[in-house]
Amino acid sequence: MAGKVKWVTDIEKSVLINNFEKRGWVQVTENEDWNFYWMSVQTIRNVFSVETGYRLSDDQIVNHFPNHYELTRKDLMVKNIKRYRKELEKEGSPLAEKDENGKYLYLDFVPVTYMLPADYNLFVEEFRKSPSSTWIMKPCGKAQGKGIFLINKLSQIKKWSRDSKTSSFVTQSTKEAYVISLYINNPLLIGGRKFDLRLYVLVSTYRPLRCYMYKLGFCRFCTVKYTPSTSELDNMFVHLTNVAIQKHGEDYNHIHGGKWTVNNLRLYLESTRGKEVTGKLFDEIHWIVVQSLKAVAVNASPSLTSSTANDRILKYNLINDTLNIAVPNGEIPDCKWNKSPPKEVLGNYEILSCAFLRRPGARMLMERGGYDEELAQGDGADRELRSRQGQSLGPRGGRSRDSGRTVLTTWK
């Protein structure tokens, strides 16, 4: 090894610093030569702004793609996924296939969503088609459940309107941007409560796309049982799983933080719904991850704050396994790296499995330890599949019959 990795961070989290120090890496300041910089979101924006024109050297690596906000901002995420679907339509991709009602068969994983104030009139037109529906409003640039509320009447958002007669909003410059989405009012419940998933995905390169799912994700539960009753639309303990909100609830448990591991969730679902249904669910989750990443060149902004002891252990190990993949053997980074890491260094990361990956023809992808676009494009069976039309694709696919022959499903 030519020298020690020189690191810097502006995030004082023990799960980060302990991982750097245990590798014997050398801490430096941001004004010195560095190889690895774990940056906050704001620092990323400042360093890679148009004004600075900063570019990484061949021996430097950071923890975000500079334009990560293209997926982590709610409005940009919706915009990019809609654009991605339209591009696939123009290319004639079978992934963009629709049913007789115009609904995407394989890319229908974003609820009906509009940007406000820009799309207000379009939203009103859609709302009036089903006036009894419930919608959820979220500010585009906030997190931790801040500013989120539910509505089921147009009058509830007309306080944002400058003129109720024309239903036009005030100008964008004076009004914070929101997304408004059709609310999923029949969610999967456990113990009568809503929950969401916190999953960690490492993207080591975007061209080609190479990504890994961390096996030790977790679920976050609401403290109050769910009801679709309109009388509870304002009760965020019923509707939002964010710890920043739930920790103020009377029934919040500060020991386990209202969380389950993903492994426990899987065991529960297998016992109540069956292994086949559970396997299909996780295949579809992995499908959504890959297609979302394909829509933009991006990374995410996971919280490294630990609310419980188990959180701290999980996030320490998460960073450890991430560094083993991102900085192989603790060597000084090299922009020429372009190899899939060996399976033994993946730790708790695993390949993003999909129905087709469990089939023998795609086994080589699984053994390489992550979704690898180059390997996927080079698979012979997959090339044959992509050349056909009208076959079964995506998470809803499994086997399609052609002259008695089983065909693999695909992610592409």
Side-chain angles (χ1 to χ4, degrees):
M1 188 165 67
K4 295 284 188 180
V5 172
K6 290 175 282 188
W7 65 272
V8 60
T9 183
D10 61 346
I11 302 176
E12 294 296 321
K13 296 292 183 182
S14 61
V15 293
L16 289 174
I17 296 171
N18 291 347
N19 267 293
F20 299 151
E21 291 179 345
K22 85 165 190 177
R23 287 167 167 76
W25 293 358
V26 179
Q27 183 176 12
V28 296
T29 68
E30 60 184 20
N31 297 320
E32 298 178 90
D33 290 336
W34 52 267
N35 306 117
F36 190 99
Y37 195 155
W38 194 289
M39 298 183 181
S40 66
V41 170
Q42 190 57 52
T43 300
I44 284 279
R45 290 174 182 165
N46 294 339
V47 170
F48 294 98
S49 68
V50 175
E51 290 76 19
T52 66
Y54 186 83
R55 292 294 180 270
L56 293 175
S57 301
D58 289 353
D59 62 351
Q60 291 182 316
I61 189 171
V62 295
N63 59 308
H64 289 291
F65 287 100
N67 59 339
H68 64 93
Y69 50 81
E70 293 286 348
L71 190 56
T72 58
R73 259 189 70 107
K74 302 172 184 72
D75 54 338
L76 297 181
M77 176 192 72
V78 172
K79 180 198 74 174
N80 284 306
I81 290 176
K82 286 181 177 180
R83 175 187 51 77
Y84 175 62
R85 295 191 298 200
K86 289 187 180 299
E87 287 177 355
L88 291 177
E89 283 187 65
K90 289 179 181 178
E91 294 170 4
S93 170
L95 281 186
E97 184 182 349
K98 297 180 179 179
D99 63 16
E100 61 275 8
N101 297 317
K103 182 179 179 181
Y104 287 100
L105 293 177
Y106 314 113
L107 297 173
D108 182 38
F109 53 81
V110 177
V112 177
T113 300
Y114 297 96
M115 263 64 78
L116 297 182
D119 298 335
Y120 180 70
N121 290 330
L122 290 173
F123 160 69
V124 170
E125 183 180 344
E126 184 68 28
F127 182 91
R128 286 173 174 160
K129 293 178 184 176
S130 182
S132 61
S133 57
T134 298
W135 296 73
I136 185 167
M137 287 192 68
K138 301 180 179 182
C140 295
K142 292 183 180 178
Q144 299 182 322
K146 294 179 179 136
I148 297 177
F149 61 96
L150 280 66
I151 66 116
N152 63 349
K153 295 183 179 68
L154 283 177
S155 59
Q156 291 168 294
I157 58 172
K158 283 195 173 178
K159 61 183 177 181
W160 281 289
S161 176
R162 181 184 62 185
D163 184 349
S164 61
K165 292 181 180 179
T166 59
S167 296
S168 60
F169 271 64
V170 295
T171 60
Q172 180 72 41
S173 60
T174 59
K175 177 62 64 178
E176 181 178 16
Y178 271 70
V179 293
I180 185 164
S181 302
L182 189 62
Y183 191 55
I184 299 172
N185 60 9
N186 60 338
L188 175 63
L189 305 175
I190 294 180
R193 291 171 169 82
K194 281 187 65 175
F195 67 96
D196 73 355
L197 294 174
R198 178 54 58 95
L199 303 175
Y200 299 96
V201 177
L202 169 64
V203 183
S204 58
T205 175
Y206 197 79
R207 294 179 180 170
L209 176 60
R210 191 173 292 142
C211 52
Y212 308 84
M213 175 73 78
Y214 200 62
K215 289 184 283 188
L216 304 182
F218 56 89
C219 315
R220 306 181 303 182
F221 285 83
C222 287
T223 54
V224 178
K225 289 188 176 183
Y226 175 76
T227 172
S229 170
T230 56
S231 64
E232 293 290 344
L233 286 187
D234 294 332
N235 188 344
M236 293 301 103
F237 296 125
V238 170
H239 298 284
L240 302 184
T241 61
N242 308 76
V243 173
I245 289 175
Q246 293 297 329
K247 69 182 181 182
H248 299 294
E250 292 180 3
D251 297 324
Y252 181 73
N253 186 308
H254 291 272
I255 298 175
H256 58 65
K259 297 175 182 177
W260 266 13
T261 65
V262 167
N263 286 337
N264 283 343
L265 172 66
R266 187 155 198 155
L267 288 172
Y268 172 83
L269 293 176
E270 286 178 350
S271 66
T272 56
R273 305 295 180 104
K275 287 191 174 183
E276 183 178 350
V277 170
T278 302
K280 183 174 180 291
L281 170 66
F282 279 88
D283 285 344
E284 293 197 10
I285 290 172
H286 296 166
W287 163 269
I288 290 171
V289 169
V290 172
Q291 297 306 317
S292 298
L293 289 171
K294 283 191 168 191
V296 292
V298 65
N299 201 345
S301 308
S303 167
L304 294 177
T305 301
S306 304
S307 57
T308 66
N310 285 338
D311 259 1
R312 192 169 297 109
I313 294 170
L314 182 152
K315 290 172 183 178
Y316 174 86
N317 290 328
L318 168 70
I319 299 302
N320 179 63
D321 293 342
T322 298
L323 294 177
N324 286 340
I325 294 175
V327 191
N329 302 318
E331 298 177 5
I332 293 176
D334 185 343
C335 71
K336 299 181 181 64
W337 286 342
N338 194 32
K339 295 180 180 178
S340 296
K343 190 174 182 179
E344 55 268 21
V345 307
L346 297 182
N348 281 303
Y349 278 108
E350 64 176 350
I351 186 164
L352 282 168
S353 62
C354 190
F356 89 99
L357 283 175
R358 290 199 295 270
R359 313 212 193 293
R363 184 61 57 184
M364 70 170 189
L365 298 180
M366 185 177 292
E367 291 173 351
R368 298 303 283 277
Y371 176 79
D372 192 316
E373 197 167 46
E374 284 187 327
L375 293 174
Q377 290 174 346
D379 184 72
D382 187 62
R383 285 199 305 272
E384 175 188 353
L385 180 63
R386 285 187 290 121
S387 68
R388 294 140 91 103
Q389 296 291 329
Q391 59 204 353
S392 179
L393 291 172
R396 293 172 179 79
R399 295 167 183 255
S400 55
R401 296 287 179 180
D402 187 329
S403 303
R405 202 153 47 99
T406 299
V407 181
L408 304 179
T409 55
T410 178
W411 279 2
K412 292 189 291 299

